[in-house]
Protein backbone atom coordinates (compact mmCIF):
# COMPACT_ATOMS: atom_id res chain seq x y z
CA UNK A 1 0.00 0.00 0.00
CA UNK A 2 1.34 3.51 -0.83
CA UNK A 3 0.50 4.86 2.63
CA UNK A 4 2.39 2.09 4.37
CA UNK A 5 5.35 2.41 2.01
CA UNK A 6 5.76 6.12 2.59
CA UNK A 7 5.34 6.15 6.34
CA UNK A 8 7.73 3.24 6.85
CA UNK A 9 10.44 4.39 4.46
CA UNK A 10 12.56 7.26 5.73
CA UNK A 11 15.22 8.95 3.65
CA UNK A 12 18.84 9.97 4.05
CA UNK A 13 19.96 13.60 3.74
CA UNK A 14 21.31 12.78 0.27
CA UNK A 15 17.86 11.63 -0.89
CA UNK A 16 15.90 14.81 -0.14
CA UNK A 17 16.19 18.35 -1.55
CA UNK A 18 18.92 20.46 0.00
CA UNK A 19 16.34 22.92 1.39
CA UNK A 20 14.88 20.13 3.52
CA UNK A 21 18.11 19.01 5.17
CA UNK A 22 19.26 20.15 8.60
CA UNK A 23 22.87 20.48 9.72
CA UNK A 24 24.39 17.24 11.06
CA UNK A 25 21.06 15.35 10.71
CA UNK A 26 21.85 12.51 8.30
CA UNK A 27 18.71 10.35 8.32
CA UNK A 28 15.06 10.15 9.40
CA UNK A 29 13.76 12.48 6.67
CA UNK A 30 10.23 12.06 5.35
CA UNK A 31 9.51 12.18 1.64
CA UNK A 32 8.53 15.78 0.71
CA UNK A 33 5.25 14.66 -0.87
CA UNK A 34 3.32 13.27 2.08
CA UNK A 35 -0.46 13.58 2.22
CA UNK A 36 -2.26 15.19 5.15
CA UNK A 37 -3.08 11.78 6.62
CA UNK A 38 0.47 10.55 6.20
CA UNK A 39 1.75 13.56 8.06
CA UNK A 40 -0.65 12.87 10.93
CA UNK A 41 0.48 9.25 11.14
CA UNK A 42 4.13 10.28 11.10
CA UNK A 43 3.63 11.87 14.54
CA UNK A 44 3.61 8.31 15.93
CA UNK A 45 6.67 7.13 14.00
CA UNK A 46 10.36 7.76 14.69
CA UNK A 47 11.28 10.50 12.20
CA UNK A 48 13.59 13.45 12.75
CA UNK A 49 10.51 15.68 13.18
CA UNK A 50 8.64 13.52 15.70
CA UNK A 51 10.36 14.98 18.75
CA UNK A 52 10.03 18.50 17.35
CA UNK A 53 6.27 18.01 17.12
CA UNK A 54 5.67 16.48 20.53
CA UNK A 55 7.93 18.85 22.51
CA UNK A 56 5.64 21.75 21.62
CA UNK A 57 2.31 19.95 21.18
CA UNK A 58 2.39 18.41 24.66
CA UNK A 59 3.56 21.78 25.96
CA UNK A 60 0.14 23.19 25.02
CA UNK A 61 -1.52 21.06 27.70
CA UNK A 62 1.19 21.70 30.31
CA UNK A 63 0.83 25.43 29.75
CA UNK A 64 -2.97 25.22 29.95
CA UNK A 65 -2.80 23.41 33.31
CA UNK A 66 -0.35 25.94 34.71
CA UNK A 67 -2.50 28.80 33.46
CA UNK A 68 -5.73 27.41 34.91
CA UNK A 69 -4.07 27.14 38.32
CA UNK A 70 -4.36 30.93 38.54
CA UNK A 71 -8.16 30.69 38.62
CA UNK A 72 -8.28 27.70 40.93
CA UNK A 73 -6.36 29.60 43.61
CA UNK A 74 -8.47 32.77 43.34
CA UNK A 75 -11.49 33.31 45.56
CA UNK A 76 -13.72 34.04 42.57
CA UNK A 77 -13.40 33.16 38.92
CA UNK A 78 -12.98 36.34 36.85
CA UNK A 79 -15.14 37.09 33.86
CA UNK A 80 -13.71 37.07 30.35
CA UNK A 81 -15.07 40.61 30.07
CA UNK A 82 -13.04 41.84 33.06
CA UNK A 83 -10.57 44.47 31.70
CA UNK A 84 -8.09 43.46 34.39
CA UNK A 85 -7.51 40.22 32.48
CA UNK A 86 -7.48 41.55 28.90
CA UNK A 87 -3.65 41.60 28.80
CA UNK A 88 -3.49 38.08 30.20
CA UNK A 89 -5.84 36.68 27.55
CA UNK A 90 -3.70 38.28 24.84
CA UNK A 91 -0.59 36.74 26.35
CA UNK A 92 -2.26 33.33 26.41
CA UNK A 93 -3.34 33.74 22.77
CA UNK A 94 0.27 34.51 21.87
CA UNK A 95 1.70 31.51 23.71
CA UNK A 96 -0.87 29.01 22.43
CA UNK A 97 -0.47 30.35 18.90
CA UNK A 98 3.30 29.89 19.12
CA UNK A 99 3.13 26.33 20.48
CA UNK A 100 0.42 25.15 18.09
CA UNK A 101 1.95 26.76 15.00
CA UNK A 102 5.38 25.35 15.84
CA UNK A 103 4.10 21.81 16.39
CA UNK A 104 1.91 21.89 13.27
CA UNK A 105 4.76 23.28 11.16
CA UNK A 106 6.99 20.39 12.14
CA UNK A 107 4.20 17.89 11.54
CA UNK A 108 2.94 19.04 8.14
CA UNK A 109 6.04 20.53 6.49
CA UNK A 110 6.61 17.38 4.42
CA UNK A 111 3.45 17.80 2.32
CA UNK A 112 5.45 19.74 -0.29
CA UNK A 113 8.34 22.16 -0.51
CA UNK A 114 5.88 25.03 -0.85
CA UNK A 115 3.87 23.95 2.18
CA UNK A 116 7.13 23.63 4.09
CA UNK A 117 7.99 27.26 3.38
CA UNK A 118 4.52 28.49 4.36
CA UNK A 119 4.52 26.42 7.56
CA UNK A 120 7.68 28.07 8.81
CA UNK A 121 6.61 31.54 7.67
CA UNK A 122 3.60 31.09 9.95
CA UNK A 123 5.86 29.73 12.69
CA UNK A 124 8.01 32.88 12.63
CA UNK A 125 4.91 35.07 12.60
CA UNK A 126 3.45 33.45 15.70
CA UNK A 127 6.75 33.86 17.55
CA UNK A 128 6.59 37.58 16.81
CA UNK A 129 2.94 37.76 17.88
CA UNK A 130 3.88 36.02 21.13
CA UNK A 131 6.43 38.75 21.88
CA UNK A 132 3.66 41.35 21.51
CA UNK A 133 1.41 39.36 23.85
CA UNK A 134 4.24 39.28 26.38
CA UNK A 135 4.76 43.02 25.98
CA UNK A 136 1.08 43.69 26.71
CA UNK A 137 1.24 41.58 29.87
CA UNK A 138 4.46 43.27 30.98
CA UNK A 139 3.06 46.73 30.31
CA UNK A 140 -0.15 46.25 32.29
CA UNK A 141 1.15 44.01 35.08
CA UNK A 142 4.83 44.98 35.45
CA UNK A 143 4.61 48.64 34.48
CA UNK A 144 7.23 50.97 36.04
CA UNK A 145 4.46 52.98 37.70
CA UNK A 146 3.65 49.97 39.90
CA UNK A 147 7.18 50.10 41.37
CA UNK A 148 5.92 52.55 43.98
CA UNK A 149 2.75 50.59 44.79
CA UNK A 150 2.51 47.71 47.24
CA UNK A 151 -0.26 45.72 48.93
CA UNK A 152 -2.47 47.78 51.24
CA UNK A 153 -0.65 48.94 54.34
CA UNK A 154 2.79 48.35 52.80
CA UNK A 155 3.37 51.15 50.28
CA UNK A 156 6.84 52.39 49.50
CA UNK A 157 7.96 55.59 51.20
CA UNK A 158 11.29 55.90 49.37
CA UNK A 159 11.30 59.48 47.97
CA UNK A 160 13.37 58.54 44.93
CA UNK A 161 11.11 55.60 44.16
CA UNK A 162 7.94 57.60 44.55
CA UNK A 163 8.98 60.24 42.04
CA UNK A 164 9.96 57.71 39.33
CA UNK A 165 6.47 57.63 37.74
CA UNK A 166 6.89 61.36 37.03
CA UNK A 167 10.30 60.92 35.37
CA UNK A 168 10.16 59.27 31.98
CA UNK A 169 7.18 56.97 32.44
CA UNK A 170 5.05 59.15 30.15
CA UNK A 171 7.54 58.55 27.35
CA UNK A 172 7.53 54.86 28.20
CA UNK A 173 3.73 54.76 28.01
CA UNK A 174 3.82 56.32 24.57
CA UNK A 175 6.61 54.31 22.96
CA UNK A 176 6.67 50.88 24.61
CA UNK A 177 3.81 49.06 22.86
CA UNK A 178 4.40 50.67 19.41
CA UNK A 179 8.08 49.72 19.70
CA UNK A 180 7.20 46.13 20.57
CA UNK A 181 4.86 45.93 17.58
CA UNK A 182 7.41 47.43 15.20
CA UNK A 183 10.13 45.06 16.37
CA UNK A 184 7.75 42.10 15.95
CA UNK A 185 7.11 43.07 12.33
CA UNK A 186 10.84 43.53 11.64
CA UNK A 187 11.64 40.15 13.18
CA UNK A 188 9.04 38.41 11.03
CA UNK A 189 10.50 40.03 7.90
CA UNK A 190 14.06 39.09 8.83
CA UNK A 191 13.27 35.47 9.68
CA UNK A 192 11.20 34.95 6.53
CA UNK A 193 14.09 36.37 4.50
CA UNK A 194 16.46 33.74 5.92
CA UNK A 195 14.51 31.08 4.03
CA UNK A 196 15.55 32.75 0.76
CA UNK A 197 19.00 34.15 1.54
CA UNK A 198 21.74 34.04 4.20
CA UNK A 199 20.98 30.34 4.61
CA UNK A 200 24.46 29.55 5.86
CA UNK A 201 23.91 31.82 8.86
CA UNK A 202 20.15 31.34 9.17
CA UNK A 203 20.21 29.87 12.69
CA UNK A 204 22.43 32.63 14.03
CA UNK A 205 20.31 35.33 12.40
CA UNK A 206 17.01 33.88 13.62
CA UNK A 207 18.32 33.46 17.14
CA UNK A 208 19.81 36.92 17.52
CA UNK A 209 16.93 38.63 15.71
CA UNK A 210 14.62 37.48 18.50
CA UNK A 211 16.94 38.86 21.18
CA UNK A 212 15.76 42.30 20.10
CA UNK A 213 12.07 41.80 21.02
CA UNK A 214 13.16 40.16 24.28
CA UNK A 215 15.19 43.26 25.15
CA UNK A 216 12.36 45.63 24.23
CA UNK A 217 9.64 43.60 25.93
CA UNK A 218 11.67 43.24 29.13
CA UNK A 219 12.10 47.01 29.60
CA UNK A 220 9.48 47.20 32.42
CA UNK A 221 11.23 44.37 34.27
CA UNK A 222 14.66 45.95 33.90
CA UNK A 223 13.16 49.16 35.28
CA UNK A 224 11.57 47.42 38.25
CA UNK A 225 14.75 45.55 39.10
CA UNK A 226 16.78 48.76 38.77
CA UNK A 227 14.34 50.78 40.88
CA UNK A 228 14.56 48.23 43.66
CA UNK A 229 12.42 48.57 46.77
CA UNK A 230 10.24 45.99 48.57
CA UNK A 231 8.60 44.66 45.39
CA UNK A 232 6.88 41.37 44.70
CA UNK A 233 9.38 38.70 45.71
CA UNK A 234 8.66 36.40 42.76
CA UNK A 235 9.54 38.88 40.00
CA UNK A 236 13.34 38.64 40.05
CA UNK A 237 13.80 34.86 40.49
CA UNK A 238 11.30 33.93 37.79
CA UNK A 239 12.71 36.54 35.41
CA UNK A 240 16.27 35.29 35.90
CA UNK A 241 15.12 31.73 35.27
CA UNK A 242 13.24 32.94 32.20
CA UNK A 243 16.49 34.51 30.93
CA UNK A 244 18.50 31.38 31.70
CA UNK A 245 16.21 29.15 29.65
CA UNK A 246 16.20 31.62 26.76
CA UNK A 247 19.99 31.70 26.80
CA UNK A 248 20.13 27.90 26.86
CA UNK A 249 17.72 27.69 23.93
CA UNK A 250 19.85 30.15 21.96
CA UNK A 251 22.98 28.07 22.62
CA UNK A 252 21.30 24.89 21.40
CA UNK A 253 19.86 26.58 18.31
CA UNK A 254 23.14 28.15 17.21
CA UNK A 255 25.67 25.50 18.26
CA UNK A 256 23.75 22.43 17.00
CA UNK A 257 24.93 20.48 20.02
CA UNK A 258 24.92 17.47 20.48
CA UNK A 259 24.57 16.33 16.83
CA UNK A 260 27.52 18.50 15.79
CA UNK A 261 29.88 16.19 17.70
CA UNK A 262 28.26 12.95 16.53
CA UNK A 263 26.42 13.37 13.19
CA UNK A 264 23.81 10.68 12.67
CA UNK A 265 23.57 9.57 16.29
CA UNK A 266 20.89 12.07 17.31
CA UNK A 267 18.87 12.10 14.09
CA UNK A 268 15.63 10.92 15.73
CA UNK A 269 15.85 11.74 19.42
CA UNK A 270 17.93 14.22 21.37
CA UNK A 271 19.06 16.62 18.67
CA UNK A 272 19.46 20.33 19.33
CA UNK A 273 16.11 21.50 17.98
CA UNK A 274 14.26 19.30 20.46
CA UNK A 275 16.34 20.75 23.32
CA UNK A 276 15.70 24.19 21.85
CA UNK A 277 11.95 23.55 22.06
CA UNK A 278 12.21 22.28 25.65
CA UNK A 279 14.24 25.28 26.79
CA UNK A 280 11.96 27.82 25.12
CA UNK A 281 8.94 26.23 26.76
CA UNK A 282 10.61 26.25 30.16
CA UNK A 283 11.25 29.96 29.66
CA UNK A 284 7.56 30.45 28.86
CA UNK A 285 6.52 28.57 32.00
CA UNK A 286 8.70 30.77 34.20
CA UNK A 287 7.39 33.83 32.39
CA UNK A 288 3.83 32.68 33.12
CA UNK A 289 4.70 32.14 36.80
CA UNK A 290 6.19 35.63 36.91
CA UNK A 291 3.05 37.16 35.40
CA UNK A 292 0.77 35.17 37.73
CA UNK A 293 2.76 36.43 40.70
CA UNK A 294 2.29 40.02 39.55
CA UNK A 295 -1.44 39.47 39.00
CA UNK A 296 -1.87 38.12 42.52
CA UNK A 297 0.13 41.04 43.88
CA UNK A 298 -1.85 43.64 41.94
CA UNK A 299 -5.13 42.01 42.95
CA UNK A 300 -4.30 42.91 46.54
CA UNK A 301 -3.96 46.60 45.66
CA UNK A 302 -7.29 48.29 46.29
CA UNK A 303 -6.92 51.93 47.35
CA UNK A 304 -4.47 52.85 44.59
CA UNK A 305 -6.02 50.72 41.83
CA UNK A 306 -7.14 53.80 39.91
CA UNK A 307 -3.54 55.06 39.79
CA UNK A 308 -2.18 51.89 38.24
CA UNK A 309 -1.87 51.54 34.45
CA UNK A 310 -4.37 48.67 34.52
CA UNK A 311 -7.10 51.29 34.70
CA UNK A 312 -6.29 52.12 31.07
CA UNK A 313 -6.65 48.55 29.76
CA UNK A 314 -9.31 48.49 27.05
CA UNK A 315 -10.37 46.20 24.22
CA UNK A 316 -8.65 48.54 21.77
CA UNK A 317 -5.38 48.80 23.70
CA UNK A 318 -5.08 45.02 24.14
CA UNK A 319 -7.08 42.91 21.67
CA UNK A 320 -6.99 45.73 19.14
CA UNK A 321 -3.20 45.94 19.29
CA UNK A 322 -2.83 42.17 18.96
CA UNK A 323 -5.26 42.07 16.04
CA UNK A 324 -3.44 44.87 14.25
CA UNK A 325 -0.08 43.14 14.65
CA UNK A 326 -1.56 39.86 13.46
CA UNK A 327 -2.87 41.60 10.34
CA UNK A 328 0.56 43.08 9.59
CA UNK A 329 2.26 39.74 10.16
CA UNK A 330 -0.37 37.99 8.07
CA UNK A 331 0.33 40.41 5.22
CA UNK A 332 4.06 39.67 5.41
CA UNK A 333 3.47 35.92 5.46
CA UNK A 334 1.10 36.18 2.49
CA UNK A 335 3.64 38.18 0.48
CA UNK A 336 6.40 35.66 1.12
CA UNK A 337 4.02 32.77 0.43
CA UNK A 338 3.05 34.25 -2.95
CA UNK A 339 6.69 34.73 -3.83
CA UNK A 340 7.55 31.19 -2.72
CA UNK A 341 4.66 29.86 -4.81
CA UNK A 342 6.00 31.67 -7.86
CA UNK A 343 9.48 30.27 -7.30
CA UNK A 344 8.04 26.80 -6.83
CA UNK A 345 6.10 27.04 -10.10
CA UNK A 346 9.22 28.24 -11.97
CA UNK A 347 11.26 25.32 -10.63
CA UNK A 348 8.51 22.89 -11.66
CA UNK A 349 8.50 24.31 -15.19
CA UNK A 350 12.30 24.02 -15.42
CA UNK A 351 12.16 20.40 -14.29
CA UNK A 352 9.49 19.56 -16.90
CA UNK A 353 11.51 21.25 -19.64
CA UNK A 354 14.61 19.25 -18.74
CA UNK A 355 12.61 16.04 -18.85
CA UNK A 356 11.20 16.91 -22.26
CA UNK A 357 14.61 17.75 -23.64
Amino acid sequence: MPLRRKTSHLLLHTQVPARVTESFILSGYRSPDYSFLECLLSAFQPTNETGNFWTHFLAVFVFALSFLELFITRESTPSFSDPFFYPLWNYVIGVLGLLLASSMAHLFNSMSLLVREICFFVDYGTISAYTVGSSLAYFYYIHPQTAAAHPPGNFSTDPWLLRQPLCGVGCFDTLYIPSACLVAVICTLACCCTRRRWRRYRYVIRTFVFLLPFTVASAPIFYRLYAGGPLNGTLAPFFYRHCFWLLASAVFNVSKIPERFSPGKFDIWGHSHQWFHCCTFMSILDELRMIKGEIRWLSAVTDQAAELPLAAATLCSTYGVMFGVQCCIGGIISAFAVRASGDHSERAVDVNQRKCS
Side-chain angles (χ1 to χ4, degrees):
M1 296 176 62
L3 180 61
R4 182 177 181 181
R5 174 183 62 81
K6 285 186 177 180
T7 55
S8 61
H9 180 60
L10 298 178
L11 306 176
L12 300 175
H13 69 291
T14 56
Q15 298 173 302
V16 296
R19 297 184 67 83
V20 174
T21 61
E22 299 291 341
S23 302
F24 311 108
I25 302 297
L26 307 183
S27 63
Y29 292 95
R30 297 172 295 177
S31 176
D33 62 348
Y34 270 31
S35 69
F36 180 83
L37 179 58
E38 289 167 338
C39 287
L40 285 177
L41 293 177
S42 70
F44 304 97
Q45 298 177 341
T47 76
N48 57 26
E49 290 283 24
T50 304
N52 295 337
F53 166 73
W54 286 109
T55 48
H56 266 180
F57 186 70
L58 292 178
V60 172
F61 302 97
V62 178
F63 177 83
L65 288 174
S66 182
F67 169 69
L68 291 174
E69 183 267 341
L70 175 66
F71 304 103
I72 295 174
T73 57
R74 286 177 59 88
E75 294 181 358
S76 60
T77 302
S79 168
F80 282 96
S81 60
D82 186 351
F84 182 89
F85 284 94
Y86 286 172
L88 180 64
W89 298 130
N90 281 270
Y91 170 72
V92 171
I93 290 171
V95 172
L96 293 181
L98 181 156
L99 296 175
L100 287 172
S102 173
S103 57
M104 294 302 108
H106 286 291
L107 184 62
F108 294 111
N109 66 57
S110 64
M111 292 182 68
S112 72
L113 294 179
L114 176 59
V115 170
R116 179 183 180 84
E117 295 296 296
I118 295 174
C119 280
F120 289 111
F121 290 155
V122 173
D123 188 20
Y124 306 146
T126 55
I127 294 173
S128 295
Y130 153 73
T131 65
V132 174
S134 296
S135 298
L136 288 170
Y138 290 0
F139 179 73
Y140 287 104
Y141 300 132
I142 316 178
H143 188 282
Q145 194 168 358
T146 65
H150 301 279
N154 187 30
F155 295 104
S156 173
T157 58
D158 188 315
W160 183 87
L161 197 63
L162 288 172
R163 70 171 175 265
Q164 295 311 301
L166 302 177
C167 303
V169 175
C171 181
F172 175 87
D173 289 348
T174 303
L175 297 179
Y176 177 67
I177 295 299
S179 298
C181 295
L182 177 61
V183 168
V185 171
I186 293 173
C187 289
T188 305
L189 277 168
C191 287
C192 288
C193 282
T194 61
R195 301 201 68 82
R196 302 180 58 85
R197 61 188 72 176
W198 315 315
R199 288 189 57 79
R200 182 178 179 181
Y201 306 103
R202 61 190 184 275
Y203 299 115
V204 175
I205 293 173
R206 292 169 193 169
T207 300
F208 284 98
V209 156
F210 282 110
L211 288 178
L212 181 59
F214 163 75
T215 304
V216 173
S218 300
I221 303 176
F222 293 141
Y223 186 101
R224 289 279 295 277
L225 295 177
Y226 171 71
L231 304 178
N232 178 14
T234 63
L235 178 65
F238 283 135
F239 179 66
Y240 293 144
R241 283 166 50 174
H242 172 66
C243 293
F244 167 79
W245 289 117
L246 283 180
L247 178 61
S249 68
V251 170
F252 278 117
N253 200 38
V254 174
S255 68
K256 296 302 168 187
I257 295 173
E259 65 267 21
R260 174 183 291 273
F261 299 120
S262 186
K265 186 175 181 179
F266 300 95
D267 289 353
I268 306 301
W269 303 109
H271 58 74
S272 60
H273 202 79
Q274 294 170 10
W275 291 113
F276 166 72
H277 275 197
C278 292
C279 290
T280 53
F281 179 61
M282 292 301 296
S283 76
I284 289 173
L285 275 184
D286 280 324
E287 181 182 50
L288 175 63
R289 295 180 182 119
M290 177 178 67
I291 293 172
K292 290 195 299 185
E294 291 298 302
I295 288 176
R296 293 191 183 99
W297 178 62
L298 286 172
S299 297
V301 179
T302 54
D303 295 337
Q304 294 193 3
E307 301 177 13
L308 297 177
L310 277 169
T314 64
L315 286 172
C316 183
S317 66
T318 52
Y319 291 102
V321 168
M322 181 64 88
F323 178 75
V325 169
Q326 294 279 18
C327 289
C328 293
I329 292 174
I332 294 171
I333 292 172
S334 298
F336 275 94
V338 169
R339 190 169 182 180
S341 178
D343 293 345
H344 183 74
S345 299
E346 290 177 4
R347 284 194 292 266
V349 170
D350 290 341
V351 170
N352 291 332
Q353 288 177 346
R354 292 194 195 100
K355 289 181 179 178
C356 293
S357 60

